[in-house]
Amino acid sequence: QLRAAGGDVMISFGGQANAELALACSDRGKLTTAYRDVILRYDVKAVDFDIENADISDQASIQRRAAAVATIQKERKAAGHPLDVWLTVPVSTDGMSAEVQALVTATLQGGVELTGVNVMTMNFGSVANPVTNMLPATKKALEASAGQLAAVYSAEGVTLDESQRWAKLGATPM
């Protein structure tokens, strides 16, 4: 009904309270099949991988995820149904952590064509000392993340101009 009304959906894997499939499934073939089954079942054009907690630094799962997603992207592209891929990651007012930047790098190096990186601009500060003005905190986080994203792509031999780096950056605000 949503599609008939002109809308569409994006499937999101992972999340704060979940272990993303690549962390839970150590068999690359089964992981690829699991992702593929969901993508085909819902005939989606875009997927999101919400990578948080232990998932951010688990190198084995990062490699498995990238290999599986790159395989599916190639299959979908060859079938005339390209697949947009987003990473959703935590961020601070200083931007993406070194671990998150390494996750993005490894995903690109694994052959995934990232549509973008979505930073979760929320929960800045601490319980004892929360950020009370989210607008400047969010702007600072986004500006830092845009620069970091440009640096990650540059290290992979891809130069992003200002509009391209902002086009590859998403935000989930509080």
Side-chain angles (χ1 to χ4, degrees), residues 126-146:
S126 65
V127 173
N129 189 22
V131 170
T132 56
N133 193 338
M134 292 297 289
L135 183 58
T138 298
K139 284 181 177 180
K140 185 176 178 194
L142 290 171
E143 288 167 355
S145 296

Side-chain angles (χ1 to χ4, degrees), residues 9-89:
V9 297
M10 177 188 299
I11 300 291
S12 183
F13 296 92
Q16 189 275 330
N18 300 300
E20 199 279 315
L21 282 177
L23 189 67
C25 178
S26 61
D27 182 289
R28 182 177 148 198
K30 289 180 181 178
L31 178 65
T32 304
T33 298
Y35 288 146
R36 184 186 297 116
D37 287 350
V38 172
I39 291 164
L40 293 176
R41 178 178 183 172
Y42 296 100
D43 190 28
V44 294
K45 298 173 187 162
V47 291
D48 169 67
F49 295 89
D50 184 342
I51 310 300
E52 302 184 50
N53 306 316
D55 297 11
I56 291 172
S57 59
D58 186 87
Q59 293 304 308
S61 69
I62 291 167
Q63 299 303 320
R64 274 192 301 277
R65 180 184 312 104
V69 173
T71 296
I72 295 166
Q73 264 191 322
K74 289 175 188 160
E75 293 169 356
R76 299 289 290 169
K77 188 174 186 177
H81 303 285
L83 182 67
D84 289 341
V85 177
W86 284 84
L87 290 178
T88 292
V89 296

Side-chain angles (χ1 to χ4, degrees), residues 68-117:
V69 173
T71 296
I72 295 166
Q73 264 191 322
K74 289 175 188 160
E75 293 169 356
R76 299 289 290 169
K77 188 174 186 177
H81 303 285
L83 182 67
D84 289 341
V85 177
W86 284 84
L87 290 178
T88 292
V89 296
V91 69
S92 74
T93 55
D94 294 327
M96 297 180 284
S97 69
E99 285 181 316
V100 169
Q101 291 175 67
L103 165 69
V104 175
T105 297
T107 303
L108 293 170
Q109 289 175 347
V112 177
E113 294 179 28
L114 282 176
T115 306
V117 176

